[in-house]
Amino acid sequence: MPEITFRDGNRGTVAALGQRGAGDLTTVRRRTMKRTTGAVAITSAAALLLSACGGESGEENTDSGANAEESSGDDAAAEEEGGVDSAATSEGAPAASDGTSLVIWADDLRAAALEDVAATFEEETGVPVTLQVVANENLREQFKDSVGAGAGPDIAVGAHDWLGELVQNNVVAPVQLASDLSGQFNPDSIEAFTYEGQTYGVPYSVESLALIRNTELAPDEPETMEALVETGAQLVSDGEAELVMAQQLGQEGDAYNMYPYLAAYGGGIFPLLEEGGFDASEVIIDSEETVQGGEKIAWLAEQEALTVNLDGSNTIPQFVEGKTAYLVSGPWAIEQSTEAGINYAISPIPDFEDGGETTPFLGVNGFYVSAESQNPQIAQTFVQEYVSRADVQVSLYEAGDRPPALTEAYEQVAADDEDIESWGQAAEGGTPMPNIPQMNAVWGPLGKATADIVSGNDAAERLGTAQSEVEGAL
Amino acid sequence: MLSVGILALSAQQAIEAGSWLIVIVVAFIAMSILVVYSTRRMIPAKYLLPGLILLLLFQMWPIIYTAATAFTNYGDGHTLSKEEAIVAIQGQSVRQDPDAPRYGMSVAVPEGAAIETGELSLLLTVAPAEDGSELEEGAEEGGEAELGENITDDGTRLFVGTEEGLQPLSADGVEVLGNGTIGTAPGYRVLNLMEANERAQDVQDFAVPVGEEGEAAVKPATTSQAFVGRPTITYDEDADVMTTAEGKRYVAQEGNFVPEDGVGAALPAGWTENVGFDNFRTIFTDPTFRTGFLKIFLWNLAFPLLSVGSTFILGMLLALLFNDPRLKGKGFYRSLLILPYALPIFVTGLVWAAMFNAQFGLINEVTGLSINWLGDPWAARFALLLTNLWLGFPYMFLICTGALQSVPSDVKEAASVDGAGPVRTLVSVTMPLLLVAVGPLLVASFAFNFNNFTLIYLVTGGGPFDSGNSLVGNTDLLINFAYRLALESGTPNIGLASAVSIVIFLLVGTISYLGFRQSAALEEVN
């Protein structure tokens, strides 16, 4: 199923990602085309509207720019200016970098979290900040398209697995982090924002799949997957639950959700390079190790722990309605669980009895600097000197409830918030999702292979066909 | 003449944006407006021109644009021009020297020079704790100050970086701020943040050569910091070759720089280029496309035919029922029947998809069946037809109701006088009259369902897929298939997608043409 039903944006970093991105691509292209022609349309009001809009926002920005210039260093005026308020709710064509204020695109949650940071930045530097809310599902494409057209923001907040595609199209500029600064981050998070040896963003959160447990139904953390399945099945036969476990899969499968098992014995998609990153020239989907993981998926399906009938729209509700004691999902599942009053505990996805260590993908969120920014140094200052501050990372955590990427901030938050500590533990040992564009060719075939394995196909055979499909597409 | 004024305005904007094509188009339109409306002649043109211009802009232009794109490799990784790609690759290849210190940096112009035009220099500081010995080799003697004079009381060393190189800066009279930047320096006008930002592009391109051969450079990292880095890839314009620091050569080929020795991946940024008929060749020779095509084409014919047939029959029967004068409360029933039509397909599509869920879906639950609706090819096809029946019958009901009400009652009376029963009246009198009215709409409905991307995408996503073939779905329409092939498999390729949509356009066009000819024939008979 398409990625339509998810309200949480970070789910967007997840499987079938290429599909969604591509979907937007066509619409966006069509839209841009119309916009260009609209500007030309003589009698049509579109031209009038467009020029009017352009003029207006230009004026507004110039005003704030001039104001800030007069008062650079002067706190009060910059604060008064409040680029934040004026922009937070603006609609229509998103504000673009124009050399007078720092334009940041983020989704609604993150934009709200950034307001304080933006105010601090304005106060300390005198540079007005325009926070532009862009719907999460459109952000990636809009960022890509508008920078390509020379009208993008200075900074965009997004997921790390966009990186390869953004570099390919020259959308993002390298971020030259001081080495002592990059050392203060979770190393995985920096690696996630590194592409072919170059760093392109500053991370602020790390997330991964974990086991969320209903503590009323299952008070004890399962030691192994086998124990989990046993307890889950017991609950079902006792009539206390309806499902052994809930995990998103769907008819078309879900390589992101199945990756922890596929990689449990050292397999996966691409071999890991020692210096970090993946070697995209080799595909290891049909390797012995991956097949071993695939057989575990088949086993979980036999035990009725996995089913293709659970997809993005109905997986979390099973847990929220108390129909299962175990949910394998990410931080995006927490809000609904809390609202429903479920008592839950978070722990890493258990390993297998025979030593297979489940390895989830890590999704990292961070700040990108546009390659076409009109304020390149100011944008770099914001991401390098402000985003990397512990207080900023903490306030971003407060908005999104994801473990901060900055070690100091993580430790500070984890001390008070048990959940964050658990998420952090779940992410330990995880692998950042590949940020190479080649992943687009993997999600589909590998996802469908996992669905077929769950439906009863032979793991070795099915992963073999997935391997040849992926190889053919690359 | 308001429109010409508006045109001038948009021309101005286009000129500023440098889009000359738009300027030409705008000028052309303005001229035709002037010619047509400034004289008293050309009366018909006065009425036709606005529509004509809009037709050209909104119908012809996208078609031409699509057709033009079909002959390029435009797509992910091929959005830039070659020049942009070359610049991008080199810019992306700049690596920070891990051992070099991080400088505190201020941007300055010579005292007295204008901010906008003055020659830039970077005033740099190295904090005492760091070991910058390696870099002093790059700092040339013979500047305004000798090495040694450039150390402040607390041990911070000061430099001035110009396009020529790095030179010591005399510590006399220099004020170093808390964040390691220089606040004031004699002989320099230090720019504040917004002033420096006016020259952001100059600053961005500014590089202070350092190191023995000057291949490394001090470059701005932020507004207050500079780093030492070097490009790891260089471009040789004459040979059109990119060379990495390790000596690996990349040659230009099919819109990318690919390794000359064939080992490894191409450099990330590529460019758009003309590929001739390659995209069309791919469509007709790619094995996946060819094998999938026939299967999908058959379903693509069956789906709209069955959809139109089923929705029309149900819609017409309901229309006949609710057209009966004896029925009470028709208005109420009719509005109820319109409901499915009024709900957005995005909602109904997803709701039906959820209802078809084999384990948790409403349909299996209520009927007690255990059909794997979305996992079995035939069941999935049936599920789609059912969903489309639900979505489509209100439309047919509407148009049939309208057509039935326009069937004159005297004809029907005449039929009954002649001794025809209700069935005979329906078949021989009402139906032919009805079909004349709705025939063209049925053809239009067929054309719509031929390309009913949204429904398929929302309900089955094209699936289920045969094992090992994740490109050809069992319920794919051509448009869904094209979408997946061009945009979801591997690298999104807009050029290929454009070529595919042209092929589909030709197919739909032909079928619709034949269909309309048929329905015209229908009209003549009556």
Side-chain angles (χ1 to χ4, degrees):
Chain A
M1 279 304 300
E3 300 271 309
I4 291 177
T5 45
F6 306 110
R7 47 185 307 275
D8 184 85
N10 281 314
R11 188 53 192 67
T13 67
V14 174
L17 198 256
Q19 305 178 3
R20 193 207 50 188
D24 291 349
L25 197 71
T26 33
T27 43
V28 171
R29 269 232 63 78
R30 214 176 302 128
R31 213 181 309 139
T32 356
M33 211 143 63
K34 264 192 192 153
R35 208 181 289 156
T36 340
T37 40
V40 194
I42 6 72
T43 45
S44 76
L48 188 66
L49 207 75
L50 253 185
S51 47
C53 285
E56 208 173 293
S57 64
E59 253 166 58
E60 193 180 80
N61 286 340
T62 328
D63 276 354
S64 46
N67 227 335
E69 216 170 311
E70 280 164 22
S71 64
S72 60
D74 182 349
D75 306 347
E79 214 170 17
E80 238 173 55
E81 193 45 45
V84 184
D85 312 36
S86 64
T89 52
S90 60
E91 284 178 14
S97 164
D98 64 357
T100 54
S101 77
L102 188 71
V103 179
I104 303 176
W105 285 7
D107 67 18
D108 47 356
L109 266 184
R110 281 149 196 101
L114 283 170
E115 280 185 22
D116 286 344
V117 190
T120 319
F121 186 76
E122 284 188 27
E123 204 174 292
E124 290 179 10
T125 62
V127 179
V129 178
T130 308
L131 278 174
Q132 174 77 45
V133 177
V134 178
N136 191 294
E137 58 271 24
N138 303 333
L139 222 161
R140 174 184 183 152
E141 291 308 324
Q142 287 211 4
F143 183 40
K144 198 170 89 179
D145 276 19
S146 56
V147 171
D154 295 300
I155 293 170
V157 184
H160 84 271
D161 59 331
W162 308 355
L163 182 57
E165 195 183 315
L166 297 180
V167 171
Q168 243 186 1
N169 296 313
N170 195 31
V171 175
V172 288
V175 174
Q176 306 284 357
L177 278 176
S179 49
D180 56 335
L181 182 62
S182 58
Q184 295 171 19
F185 284 88
N186 174 344
D188 281 334
S189 69
I190 293 287
E191 187 196 312
F193 275 96
T194 303
Y195 183 73
E196 309 221 326
Q198 181 74 277
T199 308
Y200 288 90
V202 179
Y204 74 85
S205 79
V206 182
E207 67 195 29
S208 68
L209 293 177
L211 177 68
I212 306 170
R213 185 176 86 248
N214 184 326
T215 47
E216 278 162 25
L217 291 172
D220 301 319
E221 181 186 333
E223 296 273 315
T224 59
M225 276 317 274
E226 283 79 1
L228 182 155
V229 167
E230 199 182 317
T231 318
Q234 188 62 44
L235 286 167
V236 173
S237 60
D238 292 350
E240 287 185 46
E242 290 174 21
L243 295 168
V244 177
M245 177 181 106
Q247 184 168 15
Q248 180 179 333
L249 187 63
Q251 291 285 350
E252 289 186 36
D254 189 328
Y256 173 83
N257 269 287
M258 292 300 114
Y259 187 81
Y261 313 121
L262 288 173
Y265 298 89
I269 298 167
F270 301 114
L272 292 167
L273 292 170
E274 265 174 45
E275 66 265 29
F278 291 85
D279 176 10
S281 61
E282 199 190 333
V283 182
I284 55 163
I285 291 174
D286 68 348
S287 69
E288 213 176 292
E289 293 83 8
T290 318
V291 170
Q292 206 177 343
E295 276 158 6
K296 286 296 173 189
I297 294 179
W299 173 77
L300 284 168
E302 259 169 52
Q303 306 297 316
E304 295 180 347
L306 292 176
T307 164
V308 292
N309 292 317
L310 283 176
D311 57 34
S313 63
N314 59 3
T315 306
I316 296 174
Q318 303 294 336
F319 180 74
V320 169
E321 290 161 17
K323 290 181 182 165
T324 178
Y326 300 109
L327 171 71
V328 177
S329 188
W332 50 86
I334 292 304
E335 198 187 327
Q336 290 179 51
S337 308
T338 318
E339 274 171 18
I342 299 273
N343 290 326
Y344 62 86
I346 301 156
S347 55
I349 304 173
D351 295 335
F352 292 100
E353 250 168 25
D354 57 359
E357 293 177 11
T358 54
T359 314
F361 267 142
L362 303 183
V364 183
N365 282 297
F367 289 71
Y368 287 109
V369 174
S370 156
E372 300 288 333
S373 167
Q374 299 294 309
N375 317 294
Q377 296 94 37
I378 294 178
Q380 293 281 359
T381 306
F382 187 87
V383 300
Q384 293 185 35
E385 296 177 16
Y386 284 78
V387 176
S388 63
R389 279 166 37 168
D391 57 329
V392 173
Q393 297 251 333
V394 170
S395 70
L396 283 163
Y397 141 76
E398 280 160 2
D401 276 335
R402 311 287 204 271
L406 190 75
T407 313
E408 186 193 337
Y410 169 69
E411 280 165 2
Q412 192 183 326
V413 171
D416 303 335
D417 188 335
E418 223 172 274
D419 279 6
I420 291 297
E421 200 181 359
S422 310
W423 287 121
Q425 283 164 359
E428 267 170 39
T431 322
M433 215 184 317
N435 58 20
I436 48 183
Q438 283 88 336
M439 275 308 282
N440 285 340
V442 176
W443 293 121
L446 185 57
K448 277 153 198 153
T450 60
D452 285 352
I453 292 172
V454 168
S455 306
N457 284 34
D458 178 59
E461 199 181 303
R462 194 58 189 82
L463 287 172
T465 50
Q467 163 95 4
S468 43
E469 259 195 275
V470 170
E471 278 179 340
L474 286 181
Chain B
M1 287 299 96
L2 176 67
S3 55
V4 177
I6 295 169
L7 275 180
L9 202 66
S10 26
Q12 181 63 32
Q13 284 190 338
I15 290 169
E16 275 168 22
S19 324
W20 291 108
L21 187 64
I22 295 180
V23 178
I24 293 169
V25 172
V26 169
F28 179 76
I29 293 171
M31 272 190 320
S32 38
I33 289 178
L34 284 176
V35 168
V36 171
Y37 292 105
S38 59
T39 65
R40 286 182 181 281
R41 277 176 295 173
M42 295 193 278
I43 304 290
K46 284 191 173 54
Y47 290 96
L48 288 178
L49 188 71
L52 199 63
I53 291 174
L54 291 177
L55 177 78
L56 285 173
L57 283 178
F58 293 107
Q59 290 286 345
M60 298 311 290
W61 172 245
I63 292 174
I64 293 167
Y65 193 83
T66 310
T69 312
F71 293 95
T72 69
N73 64 352
Y74 187 88
D76 240 6
H78 297 280
T79 51
L80 308 169
S81 71
K82 190 171 179 185
E83 292 72 31
E84 287 169 338
I86 290 166
V87 174
I89 289 170
Q90 287 174 302
Q92 289 164 354
S93 80
V94 174
R95 297 283 190 280
Q96 200 166 169
D97 276 9
D99 308 324
R102 193 87 167 172
Y103 291 97
M105 180 195 83
S106 308
V107 180
V109 294
E111 205 157 33
I115 295 166
E116 293 78 25
T117 54
E119 198 182 330
L120 289 179
S121 14
L122 301 182
L123 304 182
L124 304 165
T125 67
V126 182
E130 301 205 51
D131 177 24
S133 51
E134 189 197 333
L135 274 135
E136 277 177 43
E137 290 167 26
E140 291 157 20
E141 300 278 336
E144 291 154 35
E146 300 291 319
L147 279 175
E149 283 178 24
N150 66 335
I151 302 176
T152 61
D153 297 340
D154 64 354
T156 305
R157 277 165 300 164
L158 310 178
F159 299 94
V160 54
T162 63
E163 306 231 273
E164 275 78 53
L166 198 62
Q167 288 163 349
L169 172 70
S170 170
D172 282 345
V174 171
E175 183 203 353
V176 180
L177 303 177
N179 62 354
T181 62
I182 291 177
T184 51
Y188 291 99
R189 161 102 162 75
V190 178
L191 306 187
N192 70 26
L193 205 62
M194 290 313 281
E195 288 167 345
N197 199 45
E198 278 173 35
R199 303 198 54 184
Q201 277 315 317
D202 296 340
V203 176
Q204 194 62 12
D205 297 338
F206 201 82
V208 181
V210 290
E212 276 158 33
E213 284 127 41
E215 77 289 347
V218 180
K219 289 187 69 70
T222 69
T223 49
S224 61
Q225 292 177 18
F227 72 100
V228 181
R230 63 191 74 218
T232 51
I233 296 180
T234 48
Y235 178 62
D236 178 354
E237 203 175 338
D238 298 328
D240 199 14
V241 165
M242 288 276 182
T243 315
T244 66
E246 294 87 44
K248 193 172 169 73
R249 285 159 60 84
Y250 289 83
V251 292
Q253 196 186 320
E254 289 173 358
N256 272 117
F257 282 106
V258 297
E260 199 173 31
D261 54 8
V263 182
L267 296 176
W271 57 91
T272 313
E273 66 179 16
N274 205 326
V275 294
F277 282 91
D278 276 9
N279 289 326
F280 293 94
R281 201 168 298 133
T282 309
I283 295 174
F284 295 109
T285 56
D286 184 273
T288 322
F289 205 118
R290 265 191 327 178
T291 49
F293 191 85
L294 187 67
K295 178 170 146 189
I296 290 171
F297 186 65
L298 287 177
W299 166 241
N300 205 151
L301 286 178
F303 172 73
L305 277 176
L306 293 172
S307 283
V308 172
S310 59
T311 51
F312 176 65
I313 289 170
L314 182 62
M316 189 188 64
L317 290 178
L318 286 170
L320 285 170
L321 183 66
F322 288 106
N323 208 36
D324 194 298
R326 285 164 294 178
L327 194 78
K328 297 252 165 25
K330 267 183 281 198
F332 175 70
Y333 292 125
R334 276 184 185 151
S335 21
L336 269 189
L337 283 176
I338 306 301
L339 266 184
Y341 192 47
L343 289 170
I345 186 172
F346 291 98
V347 177
T348 26
L350 290 171
V351 167
W352 276 86
M355 294 202 309
F356 281 121
N357 191 311
Q359 194 174 346
F360 309 99
L362 185 73
I363 293 179
N364 276 354
E365 210 166 292
V366 169
T367 58
L369 297 167
S370 60
I371 298 174
N372 188 3
W373 287 105
L374 302 178
D376 178 77
W378 287 106
R381 288 177 190 135
F382 184 70
L384 276 174
L385 287 171
L386 207 60
T387 312
N388 212 19
L389 178 61
W390 159 263
L391 280 167
F393 86 85
Y395 174 70
M396 293 300 179
F397 169 70
L398 268 185
I399 57 172
C400 286
T401 304
L404 281 176
Q405 284 170 353
S406 70
V407 172
S409 53
D410 51 347
V411 191
K412 284 191 251 177
E413 277 163 26
S416 70
V417 168
D418 285 352
V423 176
R424 184 63 200 263
T425 315
L426 175 69
V427 173
S428 302
V429 179
T430 319
M431 283 291 287
L433 288 170
L434 187 70
L435 278 177
V436 172
V438 302
L441 292 171
L442 294 184
V443 176
S445 180
F446 176 87
F448 171 79
N449 278 308
F450 194 89
N451 279 329
N452 200 340
F453 176 85
T454 328
L455 179 76
I456 309 284
Y457 189 80
L458 291 175
V459 179
T460 65
F465 292 82
D466 291 342
S467 166
N469 190 346
S470 59
L471 282 178
V472 182
N474 278 306
T475 57
D476 265 336
L477 296 181
L478 280 173
I479 187 78
N480 297 73
F481 179 49
Y483 174 79
R484 182 173 308 108
L485 193 82
L487 299 175
E488 287 183 352
S489 68
T491 324
N493 186 338
I494 311 287
L496 181 61
S498 304
V500 171
S501 42
I502 286 176
V503 173
I504 294 176
F505 169 74
L506 293 176
L507 276 174
V508 180
T510 315
I511 293 172
S512 301
Y513 172 72
L514 293 174
F516 277 118
R517 259 201 359 197
Q518 277 310 110
S519 71
L522 200 73
E523 230 163 301
E524 276 161 30
V525 169
N526 293 279

